[in-house]
Amino acid sequence: MLVLKCIKYVHPSLRKYICCVCVRVSRWEVDPDYCDEVKQTPPYDRGSRLLDIMDMKIFDFLMGNMDRHHYETFEKFGNETFIIHLDNGRGFGKYSHDELSILVPLSQCCRVRRSTHLRLQLLAKQEYLLSSLMEESLLHDRLSPILIQPHLHAMDRCLRLVLQVLDGCLEKEGYANVVEVDRARDSATHRNPGHR
């Protein structure tokens, strides 16, 4: 049996907790230039890790998980691997509340994979609505229903908010500076040192 060890990283947008209560505002929540510093810090300064974090923030926002304090990768592959999305226990809590602070890193960094951007746009179209696809997918689960209708509709609402943030980024910085062609499909895995 093959067992792969994981490396645990502190999430760059960690919330400050004491005894399960958020006690103070973190720097990333109030400093609009925080992402500029993150972009210069390993492992976010090269490869796809920053884009992985943006994908994770979108994922967390769609399910309302504001409790992402760490993330893991496989040790064997070093920085040239993907993020493992573990510990989603706070997801799908309050369907009537959108925790917009989850999107702060996305609005600060203004970076997204092209494939992520295209998929989000597709899932916002009526014929491919995220809530409908999720509902259909979850029907086959032995514990169905996993999500109730208000949670499914909240995902559509949150998806529209993610697209609004990305539209703001595109307007402010331009497509070429926001949307990055997926490196995984290219042979190049490293960015030039002068990347955005």
Side-chain angles (χ1 to χ4, degrees):
M1 180 172 155
L2 177 65
V3 177
L4 294 175
K5 292 182 181 179
C6 291
I7 300 173
K8 185 181 256 189
Y9 295 87
V10 173
H11 199 287
S13 52
L14 173 72
R15 293 181 189 274
K16 307 290 184 189
Y17 287 95
I18 295 178
C19 298
C20 301
V21 177
C22 193
V23 292
R24 63 184 172 132
V25 175
S26 298
R27 184 171 153 228
W28 63 268
E29 294 178 88
V30 294
D31 182 355
D33 298 323
Y34 180 74
C35 188
D36 292 337
E37 185 177 317
V38 171
K39 289 178 188 177
Q40 303 304 316
T41 307
Y44 312 104
D45 60 341
R46 64 183 190 87
S48 63
R49 186 62 55 86
L50 183 64
L51 294 170
D52 292 340
I53 291 292
M54 296 302 105
D55 281 354
M56 182 176 274
K57 295 312 286 184
I58 293 168
F59 178 72
D60 284 340
F61 185 68
L62 291 176
M63 67 175 173
N65 182 12
M66 62 181 281
D67 191 34
R68 180 77 60 195
H69 36 82
H70 291 87
Y71 66 89
E72 288 80 19
T73 64
F74 290 118
E75 179 180 58
K76 179 178 181 175
F77 304 113
N79 197 34
E80 303 309 316
T81 187
F82 51 86
I83 289 176
I84 305 166
H85 294 236
L86 299 175
D87 186 14
N88 302 307
R90 293 284 305 269
F92 299 109
K94 298 178 182 178
Y95 55 78
S96 60
H97 175 71
D98 301 331
E99 184 54 52
L100 297 175
S101 67
I102 299 171
L103 290 179
V104 167
L106 182 63
S107 65
Q108 289 175 346
C109 294
C110 280
R111 299 292 302 286
V112 68
R113 282 185 174 88
R114 182 174 182 266
S115 62
T116 300
H117 190 235
L118 291 173
R119 181 65 44 95
L120 294 171
Q121 290 174 320
L122 183 66
L123 292 172
K125 293 180 183 279
Q126 191 63 38
E127 62 269 27
Y128 298 105
L129 215 50
L130 177 58
S131 60
S132 299
L133 295 175
M134 282 293 293
E135 182 176 30
E136 183 180 332
S137 172
L138 294 171
L139 283 175
H140 305 290
D141 196 291
R142 293 171 64 177
L143 298 175
S144 183
I146 299 293
L147 297 177
I148 59 175
Q149 284 297 319
H151 281 118
L152 292 168
H153 294 304
M155 292 178 72
D156 291 332
R157 185 180 65 241
C158 288
L159 176 59
R160 288 190 298 272
L161 291 170
V162 169
L163 289 171
Q164 285 177 13
V165 168
L166 290 173
D167 286 346
C169 288
L170 292 169
E171 187 176 309
K172 180 174 62 173
E173 298 192 22
Y175 187 89
N177 293 319
V178 174
V179 179
E180 184 165 320
V181 175
D182 295 59
R183 300 284 183 188
R185 295 190 183 129
D186 297 340
S187 58
T189 56
H190 297 283
R191 286 193 213 125
N192 295 327
H195 77 279
R196 348 178 242 291

